[in-house]
Amino acid sequence: ILDSFSGRGIANTITDQSQLESLAMMVDAYRALGALARHPRIDPSRIAVMGFSKGAVAALYSSNERFRKMYGPPDVKFALHIGLYTPCNVTYRDDDKSTGKPIRLFHGIPDDWVPIEPCRSYVERLKKSGADVALAEYSGAYHAYDNFSLKAPVKLPQAQTSRNCLLVEGDAGQIMNSKTGKPFDLNDPCMERGTTVAYNEAAATATAKAVKEFLIEAFQLPK
């Protein structure tokens, strides 16, 4: 388990996402990959990355060949990329060019923290570029649907969300609001507060089953 928070003195980023840029967690993941790949008891060709919400950005976009060349270890790639309720609302330059490793995403349709629609669009772009990618969609499943401690839906009125922000990487690498054409930051008018988290047993069970089957098949493990 890679902890991108504690070493930076962060408890959580629910109400203040500016504490940690999501792509910084991707760099953390690459560093972990490099360390694991050198471990004598680990097969470097069978290291997957899996992330949840903000961590799913690291899991998904570490499949981007451009980012891998910029930040990843030179001699190893993640074998698989798995993301649950992934933020997909930033279009990065050349983000349809993947490393060629399989990508699997899992998302609740009514998620009001991280909407599913940008992931649908991104998955279609990846497929057109020949990527091995799939998105599983679950009706009735909100954000954090696999968190079994959430016995009843919880409203988070101060949680920051970019659910109505569609962003794009500009020519100089700056992230821009695609609707206004202006540089984006967390004070952008598109930012909102107020989200829902809730456990969904059916979606959580289906996701766990799918992930296990994906790993067993990809790594040729005994069933």
Side-chain angles (χ1 to χ4, degrees), residues 55-78:
V57 173
L60 173 58
Y61 290 95
S62 55
S63 70
N64 183 299
E65 181 62 12
R66 171 185 167 221
F67 289 148
R68 188 196 68 79
K69 287 180 177 178
M70 291 171 68
Y71 303 115
D75 54 351
V76 65
K77 301 177 182 179
F78 282 115

Side-chain angles (χ1 to χ4, degrees), residues 9 31 67 72 87 89-90 93 131 138 144 160 162 194:
R31 297 294 179 270
F67 289 148
N89 61 326
V90 184
R93 191 168 70 251
Y138 301 106
Q160 269 188 329
S162 61

Side-chain angles (χ1 to χ4, degrees), residues 109-178:
I109 294 172
D111 191 323
D112 65 355
W113 199 337
V114 175
I116 192 173
E117 187 55 44
C119 287
R120 288 170 172 162
S121 299
Y122 186 34
V123 165
E124 287 306 309
R125 289 197 294 113
L126 284 168
K127 285 181 177 179
K128 288 179 180 178
S129 293
D132 179 357
V133 59
L135 170 64
E137 304 185 10
Y138 301 106
S139 59
Y142 284 86
H143 204 73
Y145 66 78
D146 60 318
N147 187 341
F148 57 84
S149 67
L150 300 170
K151 298 303 182 183
V154 175
K155 298 291 185 180
L156 301 172
Q158 293 304 311
Q160 269 188 329
T161 170
S162 61
R163 62 185 163 224
N164 286 319
C165 305
L166 287 177
L167 311 175
V168 63
E169 181 182 356
D171 293 337
Q174 189 170 27
I175 302 303
M176 313 292 289
N177 184 319
S178 64

Side-chain angles (χ1 to χ4, degrees), residues 2-68:
L2 177 58
D3 180 0
S4 290
F5 282 21
S6 298
R8 294 179 170 96
I10 299 171
N12 69 68
T13 59
I14 292 173
T15 62
D16 181 10
Q17 296 290 335
S18 69
Q19 296 175 88
L20 180 59
E21 166 56 49
S22 297
L23 288 188
M25 300 174 71
M26 178 190 72
V27 178
D28 291 350
Y30 283 140
R31 297 294 179 270
L33 172 63
L36 290 170
R38 293 190 297 271
H39 195 288
R41 295 179 63 191
I42 293 176
D43 181 349
S45 69
R46 299 201 302 177
I47 302 173
V49 59
M50 182 175 185
F52 305 75
S53 191
K54 195 175 182 75
V57 173
L60 173 58
Y61 290 95
S62 55
S63 70
N64 183 299
E65 181 62 12
R66 171 185 167 221
F67 289 148
R68 188 196 68 79

Side-chain angles (χ1 to χ4, degrees), residues 165 175 182-191:
C165 305
I175 302 303
K182 296 180 179 179
F184 171 80
D185 61 32
L186 293 177
N187 295 312
D188 194 290
C190 69
M191 290 294 296

Side-chain angles (χ1 to χ4, degrees), residues 15 101-102 193 210 213:
T15 62
K101 300 300 184 180
R193 291 187 184 270
E213 290 175 350

